[in-house]
Amino acid sequence: MDKFRMIFQFFQSNQESFMNGICGIMALASTQMYSAFDFNCPCLPLYNMAYGLGILLVPPFILFLLGFVLNNNISMLAEEWRRPQGQRGKDPAVLRYMFCSMAQRAMIAPAVWVSVTLLDGKCITCAFCTSVPVETLGNASHLLLSQGEIQRVLARIPCKEIYNGQELIANEVAVRYLRCISQALGWCFVLLMTTLAFLVRSLRPCFSQAAFLKSRYWSHYIDIERKLFDETCAEHAKSFAKVCIQQFFEGMSTDLVAARCHLPRKTSEDAGEASKKLLGITDQSTMNMALKSWHRCKPPLHLHPPALPSGNGWAGEGQPPLQPSTPRRETAAYYSLV
């Protein structure tokens, strides 16, 4: 149990670890889905290829979309891409980094599905059973059959219980031939994916390490900024609701006084704390204006110290900082009359 707790805490440590855990779970789920899937080839010349290639390609596409849906950064990427320019520019490199990062993680589960499907061989056997070279593996001159009849016989190769073309080509020979081709394609696909992942991981720092670090940093910043903004809005909403409810009950106190009910002593400590968290935004229209302003013109990424107020107004940046006044030393004198 402690090991599972440590793994769960590692997944929750940051956004990338969380998404890596989600992708790993989806990869395991894809293998379990394929093992639990009941593969039934239609064994018809016009439908075998559509069914086999559909099982090979359609579930990976669905898993790829699920990888994007389960990624929390997809909404952040769309928001950053569609927002107005405002006071903060949009960096295309950061947007490309976010999209590539999500695409790489979303491709894990589809790649696992395609690899397992090709190594199993059922889809390729169903899809290309009518393309078996009968002249090489069978006896095409044994029966005088038309091309259409030969296609119908070969289409039943995946369905061993209804196959009736042993004189044309043995079922075991055709299945083994197609399965060997499928497994060869599967291992080639695994090798290709592994090589691409190795090249991306090893060669990318050699060319654009500085740009990669910059894009990664600002991608994390956008994620953290969005979370802090949501937390601040939630805290403001909680304080706003608390003040509204307290004002409602304070307004109802007049009716209680008229009914000669004993009222407890008023404590405004909670109301004062909640009012401080409102930051001067105390009505709906002002809050809506603040939210629209945050979306349309986000503040620039330039931190500057707040200006100090002076006697004639606000102190400018060119003025030297005020020196703290030294505490005045007080002395006491004692006189004695002798």
Side-chain angles (χ1 to χ4, degrees):
M1 185 61 68
D2 294 336
K3 293 182 179 179
F4 286 106
R5 188 181 297 109
M6 293 176 60
I7 295 174
F8 185 71
Q9 290 176 356
F10 172 75
F11 286 157
Q12 284 187 328
S13 59
N14 53 54
Q15 183 70 15
E16 287 191 356
S17 299
F18 176 76
M19 290 312 306
N20 290 334
I22 291 295
C23 293
I25 293 174
M26 287 186 61
L28 293 176
S30 64
T31 58
Q32 293 296 324
M33 288 171 58
Y34 183 80
S35 61
F37 178 70
D38 188 10
F39 188 88
N40 293 315
C41 186
C43 295
L44 296 173
L46 298 178
Y47 300 100
N48 282 9
M49 182 171 290
Y51 182 82
L53 295 182
I55 297 300
L56 179 65
L57 300 178
V58 173
F61 180 72
I62 297 175
L63 292 174
F64 181 74
L65 294 181
L66 283 177
F68 273 99
V69 170
L70 295 178
N71 199 320
N72 296 329
N73 292 338
I74 185 64
S75 58
M76 181 178 65
L77 174 63
E79 180 183 352
E80 183 69 15
W81 178 51
R82 293 295 300 171
R83 73 172 176 86
Q85 189 76 11
Q87 299 181 8
R88 181 189 303 180
K90 293 184 287 186
D91 192 352
V94 177
L95 299 179
R96 285 195 302 268
Y97 171 81
M98 294 168 61
F99 179 79
C100 293
S101 178
M102 287 185 294
Q104 290 174 7
R105 291 185 176 91
M107 283 294 295
I108 295 177
V112 171
W113 177 277
V114 173
S115 302
V116 172
T117 305
L118 290 176
L119 293 175
D120 185 55
K122 293 180 182 178
C123 291
I124 298 298
T125 302
C126 180
F128 298 99
C129 59
T130 56
S131 301
V132 174
V134 182
E135 296 81 4
T136 305
L137 301 177
N139 187 10
S141 61
H142 181 70
L143 297 175
L144 297 178
L145 299 176
S146 63
Q147 189 65 26
E149 292 174 347
I150 293 177
Q151 294 293 318
R152 283 193 295 270
V153 172
L154 294 178
R156 297 177 182 177
I157 290 177
C159 306
K160 187 176 181 180
E161 62 277 2
I162 62 174
Y163 181 67
N164 57 354
Q166 293 291 341
E167 295 82 4
L168 181 64
I169 183 173
N171 181 271
E172 293 79 5
V173 174
V175 171
R176 181 167 296 185
Y177 172 79
L178 294 172
R179 184 167 293 178
C180 290
I181 295 177
S182 179
Q183 290 179 353
L185 292 175
W187 285 117
C188 291
F189 180 79
V190 173
L191 179 61
L192 177 63
M193 292 292 103
T194 306
T195 305
L196 288 178
F198 171 76
L199 292 177
V200 169
R201 288 288 186 178
S202 60
L203 297 181
R204 181 174 56 185
C206 299
F207 297 97
S208 59
Q209 181 66 11
F212 171 73
L213 291 176
K214 183 191 71 172
S215 302
R216 183 176 182 180
Y217 175 85
W218 289 117
S219 174
H220 291 334
Y221 173 82
I222 293 173
D223 183 28
I224 294 173
E225 184 187 51
R226 184 187 184 190
K227 290 180 180 178
L228 291 177
F229 184 77
D230 293 340
E231 293 176 0
T232 305
C233 290
E235 185 178 359
H236 184 277
K238 182 178 179 180
S239 302
F240 191 85
K242 189 173 184 179
V243 173
C244 287
I245 293 173
Q246 288 178 347
Q247 290 180 356
F248 169 75
F249 281 100
E250 288 176 0
M252 292 294 295
S253 63
T254 55
D255 297 336
L256 296 176
V257 171
R260 297 181 180 180
C261 295
H262 179 69
L263 294 176
R265 187 176 59 182
K266 297 181 179 179
T267 58
S268 59
E269 295 180 358
D270 296 339
E273 293 179 358
S275 299
K276 291 179 181 179
K277 295 180 181 180
L278 294 178
L279 301 176
I281 303 177
T282 56
D283 60 347
Q284 183 178 3
S285 60
T286 308
M287 189 63 199
N288 292 337
M289 187 184 303
L291 296 175
K292 292 179 181 179
S293 177
W294 175 262
H295 173 69
R296 292 177 180 175
C297 49
K298 288 187 177 181
L301 298 178
H302 174 68
L303 303 179
H304 54 83
L308 298 175
S310 62
N312 296 328
W314 293 92
E317 295 181 357
Q319 297 181 359
L322 297 177
Q323 297 293 335
S325 60
T326 58
R328 186 176 60 183
R329 181 178 298 176
E330 297 181 356
T331 59
Y334 296 93
Y335 300 95
S336 61
L337 298 177
V338 179

